[in-house]
Amino acid sequence: MLKLNGKLISKSLIKSGVSERGAWKLIEFVIQRTYNKKKITIAFTAIGKITELINSIEMKERITVYFVPDCHYSAKHNKHFTELKAIEVEKYVKKNNRDTYFNGEKLNQSDYELRTTNELPLKGN
């Protein structure tokens, strides 16, 4: 099982039907993620109960998708096709970030590095 996160940028309507195995539901959706400042889009297919969850997610909302690649052969086109089947989807939950102040000045915590030792750097050595 693989995992990707990104923003939901497109989703299809839920398709449904009945086959010899019983009733089925399917939805296709696309997420966008950034990799080395380049935007990459990835298409997924989801079946079953997960379709309702994906349908309820707002556009441009950040999600994490757990998926497996699945390969099919098309005799009509004489080709193999790979689709990414979503197994689980999680919505991102924003953390409750509190602003940090020092001497009345707002600090950005990412401006400071975390040291893993208790030793202070000595000047003049």
Side-chain angles (χ1 to χ4, degrees), residues 68-72 80-84:
V68 292
D70 191 20
C71 185
H72 301 281
H80 284 87
F81 295 95
T82 302
E83 69 177 347
L84 304 178

Side-chain angles (χ1 to χ4, degrees), residues 1-2 44 66-70 83-87:
M1 179 169 52
L2 303 167
F44 295 93
Y66 296 88
F67 66 96
V68 292
D70 191 20
E83 69 177 347
L84 304 178
K85 287 193 174 183
I87 297 171

Side-chain angles (χ1 to χ4, degrees), residues 97-101 106-114:
N97 292 336
R98 294 185 180 167
D99 293 333
T100 305
Y101 292 90
K106 186 176 175 181
L107 300 177
N108 182 354
Q109 297 230 350
S110 64
D111 291 341
Y112 302 94
E113 66 180 84
L114 178 65

Side-chain angles (χ1 to χ4, degrees), residues 8 27 43 67 73 87 117 125:
L8 179 67
I27 192 168
F67 66 96
Y73 178 74
I87 297 171
T117 65
N125 288 344

Side-chain angles (χ1 to χ4, degrees), residues 4-73:
L4 277 175
N5 53 25
K7 281 193 284 189
L8 179 67
I9 61 168
S10 177
K11 59 184 172 182
S12 70
L13 297 174
I14 293 178
K15 300 169 189 162
S16 60
V18 179
S19 69
E20 26 184 75
R21 294 183 187 169
W24 57 269
K25 290 184 195 177
L26 178 129
I27 192 168
E28 297 170 328
F29 64 101
V30 179
I31 67 169
Q32 184 179 62
R33 61 176 287 145
T34 305
Y35 180 74
N36 289 337
K37 298 183 182 178
K38 181 181 177 185
K39 292 184 179 180
I40 298 172
T41 55
I42 304 119
F44 295 93
T45 303
I47 56 174
K49 297 176 186 177
I50 196 171
T51 57
E52 296 296 333
L53 172 64
I54 294 165
N55 197 39
S56 70
I57 297 173
E58 300 289 325
M59 292 300 213
K60 297 189 179 180
E61 190 169 345
R62 291 181 53 83
I63 59 174
T64 299
V65 181
Y66 296 88
F67 66 96
V68 292
D70 191 20
C71 185
H72 301 281
Y73 178 74

